[in-house]
Amino acid sequence: VETIQANLHYPPLQKIDANTQEVVADDNTPAEHHFSQAAIPAILTGLYKYATTDAGAYNMTGGDISTNWVSVVFDDTKNEGVQKIASNSSQSPEGVATRMDDIANEAMRLIREQTGPQASMMDIKNFMSAQRNTILLYLPDALQMGALLNDTTLDDNTNKMVGPVSSLMHKIGSVFNN
């Protein structure tokens, strides 16, 4: 999350408050921050969910890095996802879609860089599974990405809790996911 934010020169992202399910922001927060806060974790959540399937993990291991990943990952819910991010950031859906593709391409570049050129489907699945809890800490509840991706566990506020007990539970959950 933070590497993509830094590489694409977006403002620092804020973790979501587990109690309110909202980003702590004031009225002076620029629209650019609202866009990156919504788009980066939403795209990474989509890539995580896509990587849980064999076909998705296989597609992520090779091929053209500049594939239209937003269309591939979100498939028939792409327009709804773009609209949610556009609404959250008060920007036009057309501009949002293009910038989402840039974020997805950077994410795929980093995933391939981290997993290596000979990565297997299992390497991709394990890598994305390890990133899940970090991604969800930044995912705004207002986007309802879990509902969009048919996985309501993604919208569960327990994913945004931090602390010794929560961290232990997240690790146990990751073991069972693998």
Side-chain angles (χ1 to χ4, degrees), residues 32-110:
E32 185 66 22
H33 180 74
H34 291 290
F35 168 77
S36 60
Q37 183 71 50
I40 293 171
I43 290 165
L44 290 174
T45 301
L47 286 168
Y48 157 75
K49 187 67 178 159
Y50 185 66
T52 62
T53 66
D54 287 343
Y58 177 77
N59 288 340
M60 291 172 76
T61 62
D64 185 9
I65 198 163
S66 65
T67 299
N68 188 341
W69 287 105
V70 175
S71 292
V72 170
V73 168
F74 292 104
D75 197 27
D76 58 345
T77 61
K78 176 189 175 189
N79 291 337
E80 185 180 351
V82 168
Q83 186 59 48
K84 285 182 179 205
I85 292 169
S87 295
N88 195 60
S89 61
S90 302
Q91 297 184 19
S92 74
E94 297 78 25
V96 165
T98 301
R99 294 171 67 205
M100 285 175 66
D101 283 329
D102 294 340
I103 292 168
N105 287 337
E106 177 65 9
M108 283 305 304
R109 186 189 71 75
L110 290 169

Side-chain angles (χ1 to χ4, degrees), residues 87-173:
S87 295
N88 195 60
S89 61
S90 302
Q91 297 184 19
S92 74
E94 297 78 25
V96 165
T98 301
R99 294 171 67 205
M100 285 175 66
D101 283 329
D102 294 340
I103 292 168
N105 287 337
E106 177 65 9
M108 283 305 304
R109 186 189 71 75
L110 290 169
I111 290 166
R112 289 181 180 176
E113 181 181 286
Q114 293 295 312
T115 57
Q118 302 301 319
S120 67
M121 290 183 343
M122 202 59 186
D123 293 333
I124 296 289
K125 286 181 178 193
N126 288 338
F127 178 77
M128 291 306 292
S129 180
Q131 302 302 314
R132 179 184 187 271
N133 291 335
T134 303
I135 295 166
L136 296 180
L137 287 174
Y138 295 92
L139 183 66
D141 185 59
L143 297 177
Q144 291 295 295
M145 291 305 295
L148 189 72
L149 297 169
N150 295 318
D151 184 352
T152 56
T153 64
L154 299 173
D155 294 327
D156 187 354
N157 70 341
T158 58
N159 291 309
K160 293 166 180 59
M161 293 182 178
V162 291
V165 175
S166 296
S167 296
L168 175 64
M169 295 308 291
H170 291 311
K171 286 179 183 177
I172 292 170

